[in-house]
Amino acid sequence: MSAIIINKNNFQNEVMDSDKPVLLDFWASWCGPCRMVVPIVEEIAEERPDIKVDKVNVDEQPELARQFRVMSIPTLVVMKNGKIVNQATGARPKQQILDMLTV
């Protein structure tokens, strides 16, 4: 399954109420490091049906970026049961992103 685009309308259902761990990718189209992470995040979404992979465009959803105190992008956030369990800023290799999910 590909990553789900998150906005303020589907945030509660797709992220907060998810019964699976959620990997949130905060990104923007103009961000070079974000473009490096996109194929990795999409690959994880395809390979890992046990987690939900969601993307938040910070330009289109500034209120969600503020809610998560995103100051730099890309920012990756792992949530379980509606709570942040891991967070990292900056481009990361695939294994480091996968390691974030094992918390």
Side-chain angles (χ1 to χ4, degrees):
M1 177 158 62
S2 61
I4 298 166
I5 305 300
I6 296 299
N7 58 50
K8 62 184 177 188
N9 297 323
N10 67 359
F11 175 76
Q12 182 68 39
N13 185 51
E14 295 292 342
V15 179
M16 299 303 288
D17 296 340
S18 176
D19 57 349
K20 296 179 181 181
V22 178
L23 173 63
L24 272 174
D25 175 20
F26 288 87
W27 69 286
S29 59
W30 49 262
C31 167
C34 297
R35 289 195 300 269
M36 292 169 41
V37 172
V38 165
I40 298 169
V41 168
E42 290 291 344
E43 196 173 295
I44 291 170
E46 292 293 329
E47 294 173 354
R48 295 285 305 267
D50 59 316
I51 64 165
K52 189 180 274 191
V53 178
D54 296 338
K55 298 171 60 83
V56 179
N57 183 318
V58 298
D59 290 335
E60 295 172 1
Q61 303 299 321
E63 62 282 348
L64 288 177
R66 276 193 299 279
Q67 181 178 335
F68 281 84
R69 295 184 175 95
V70 173
M71 300 294 173
S72 299
I73 52 175
T75 292
L76 298 167
V77 177
V78 178
M79 298 191 65
K80 291 182 182 174
N81 302 316
K83 294 185 176 29
I84 297 171
V85 295
N86 210 335
Q87 187 167 337
T89 301
R92 305 253 185 250
K94 183 177 179 181
Q95 190 56 53
Q96 282 186 14
I97 296 171
L98 289 171
D99 290 346
M100 290 176 63
L101 297 165
T102 60
V103 171

